[in-house]
């Protein structure tokens, strides 16, 4: 079953409340800011930067730069840095990020528990607006995701003629540099490649492979829907493939966090007759009870 088909099924069934109840997702919605607005530059420096900017990618009628939250090393606070606008390649889409959740996988990277190249931009629970397609993109992709459409990302992307994509156990990693910070006003990262952890969603814009996106129905809000491509996607895999839930089954879900609460609702959509929520935190159990599940 495709990701987009699952979303449609979820909306039609009792899982339509997944986005609201699955977890408290800390979403980052970035407002547009001027390039290096907090830096002081001399006239000579400004002229040099303007000349440098001219060689970088500019959106048609839009900005040529953006900001992103950069992870440097464990124990160090993420910082907002200025970047030139990333440019999508064939069959990739440039998104204006509307919301990005904080997944525990992101925290594993930030804590140094999951090795990954740094500095990097984390974030893979995203929703956004389609801004532009890469040149030579398949016409079917352009037709499916027209400019201006609302989309949600899936943290697992298949290998489709993209040599820089490598599948790991937890996520898709784009190993080529996310963006090169070679601009005068962000001296902290001059000359350093900045990598994407999955989609690099903690940025004002991000580039995502088209096959990692699904159309987000306009009836669903951007912020609460960000978890569909991770917490809900993971729960679907657990119920459909690992547990293989069938109509009439009785199941127990241990741990009612982001994935666990999604498992409860997907099990119901699959027709399980008895669904038991197990957790040591009363607050999580009360939320499960509110949704009509048995408690343990």
């Amino acid at each position: 079953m495709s990701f987009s088909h699952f979303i449609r099924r979820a909306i039609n069934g009792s899982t339509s409340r997944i986005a609201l109840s699955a977890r408290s997702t800390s979403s980052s919605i970035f407002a547009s800011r001027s390039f290096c607005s907090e830096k002081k530059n001399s006239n000579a420096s400004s002229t040099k930067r303007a000349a440098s900017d001219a060689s970088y990618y500019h959106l048609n009628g839009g900005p040529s730069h953006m900001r992103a939250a950069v992870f440097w090393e464990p124990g160090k606070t993420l910082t907002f840095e200025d970047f030139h606008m990333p440019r999508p390649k064939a069959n990739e889409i440039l998104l204006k990020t509307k919301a990005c959740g904080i997944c525990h996988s992101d925290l594993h990277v930030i804590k140094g528990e999951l090795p990954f190249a740094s500095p990097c931009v984390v974030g893979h629970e995203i929703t956004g607006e389609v801004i532009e397609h890469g040149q030579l993109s398949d016409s079917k992709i352009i037709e499916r995701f027209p400019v201006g459409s609302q989309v949600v990302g899936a943290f697992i992307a298949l290998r489709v003629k993209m040599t820089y994509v490598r599948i790991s156990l937890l996520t898709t990693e784009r190993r080529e540099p996310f963006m090169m910070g070679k601009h005068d006003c962000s001296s902290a990262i001059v000359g350093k490649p900045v990598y994407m952890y999955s989609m690099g969603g903690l940025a004002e814009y991000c580039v995502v492979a088209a096959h990692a996106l699904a159309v987000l129905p306009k009836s669903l809000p951007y912020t609460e829907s960000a978890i569909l491509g991770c917490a809900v996607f993971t729960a679907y895999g657990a119920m459909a493939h690992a547990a293989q839930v069938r109509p009439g089954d009785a199941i127990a879900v241990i741990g009612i966090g982001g994935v666990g609460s999604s498992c409860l609702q997907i099990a119901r959509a699959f027709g399980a007759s008895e669904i038991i929520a197990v957790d040591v935190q009363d607050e999580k159990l009360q939320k499960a009870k509110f949704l009509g599940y048995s408690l343990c």
Side-chain angles (χ1 to χ4, degrees):
M1 180 183 292
S2 68
F3 178 47
S4 57
H5 180 68
F6 164 64
I7 290 179
R8 290 194 296 271
R9 178 172 179 174
I11 293 168
N12 292 331
S14 63
T15 56
S16 59
R17 288 184 289 181
I18 284 176
L20 294 175
S21 62
R23 67 172 147 188
S24 298
T25 300
S26 178
S27 299
S28 298
I29 303 178
F30 294 89
S32 297
R33 303 186 186 183
S34 60
F35 188 62
C36 300
S37 58
E38 299 176 5
K39 310 273 185 176
K40 293 183 179 180
N41 297 293
S42 65
N43 291 335
S45 176
S46 298
T47 301
K48 183 179 179 181
R49 177 167 61 81
S52 175
D53 283 353
S55 65
Y56 283 90
Y57 178 58
H58 287 241
L59 281 177
N60 291 330
S64 61
H65 46 265
M66 69 172 200
R67 280 194 165 189
V70 178
F71 163 71
W72 296 94
E73 59 186 55
K76 185 175 180 179
T77 303
L78 276 67
T79 61
F80 285 95
E81 303 291 345
D82 298 303
F83 292 96
H84 290 285
M85 186 66 65
R87 186 171 190 171
K89 298 181 180 180
N91 300 327
E92 292 182 339
I93 295 176
L94 177 66
L95 300 180
K96 181 176 178 61
T97 307
K98 293 296 186 179
C100 182
I102 304 296
C103 176
H104 214 97
S105 297
D106 296 316
L107 297 182
H108 283 314
V109 173
I110 293 172
K111 293 178 180 179
E113 299 167 351
L114 180 63
F116 190 78
S118 64
C120 69
V121 177
V122 299
H124 58 266
E125 296 183 334
I126 65 167
T127 53
E129 177 187 350
V130 174
I131 299 299
E132 191 169 74
H133 296 87
Q135 293 184 356
L136 304 179
S137 290
D138 190 301
S139 60
K140 292 182 179 179
I141 290 176
I142 297 174
E143 181 180 353
R144 183 182 181 192
F145 302 110
V147 171
S149 57
Q150 299 181 178
V151 294
V152 58
F155 81 104
I156 295 178
L158 301 176
R159 182 190 297 272
V160 183
K161 298 180 181 179
M162 300 174 71
T163 57
Y164 57 81
V165 172
R166 178 174 69 81
I167 301 299
S168 72
L169 292 176
L170 293 179
T171 187
T172 302
E173 301 169 4
R174 180 169 178 168
R175 282 297 190 180
E176 70 173 12
F178 173 34
M179 293 157 282
M180 298 299 292
K182 294 182 178 178
H183 34 78
D184 300 327
C185 57
S186 189
S187 58
I189 55 174
V190 166
K192 280 184 173 288
V194 179
Y195 296 90
M196 294 171 67
Y197 179 69
S198 189
M199 301 173 187
L202 289 182
E204 292 178 309
Y205 293 83
C206 63
V207 171
V208 181
H211 58 268
L213 296 172
V215 175
L216 181 68
K218 293 184 178 180
S219 60
L220 294 182
Y222 278 121
T223 301
E224 290 84 353
S225 300
I227 63 170
L228 283 170
C230 183
V232 179
F233 202 45
T234 302
Y236 173 81
M239 295 293 97
H241 304 301
Q244 297 183 357
V245 176
R246 299 290 184 269
D249 284 352
I251 72 162
V253 177
I254 302 174
I256 314 303
V259 175
S261 57
S262 297
C263 285
L264 295 175
Q265 298 175 78
I266 292 170
R268 173 182 284 173
F270 284 179
S273 60
E274 185 176 8
I275 305 171
I276 302 171
V278 183
D279 204 291
V280 296
Q281 295 187 23
D282 290 338
E283 181 182 358
K284 293 182 178 180
L285 289 175
Q286 289 306 313
K287 290 181 179 179
K289 183 178 180 180
F290 173 77
L291 293 173
Y293 301 104
S294 302
L295 306 182
C296 180

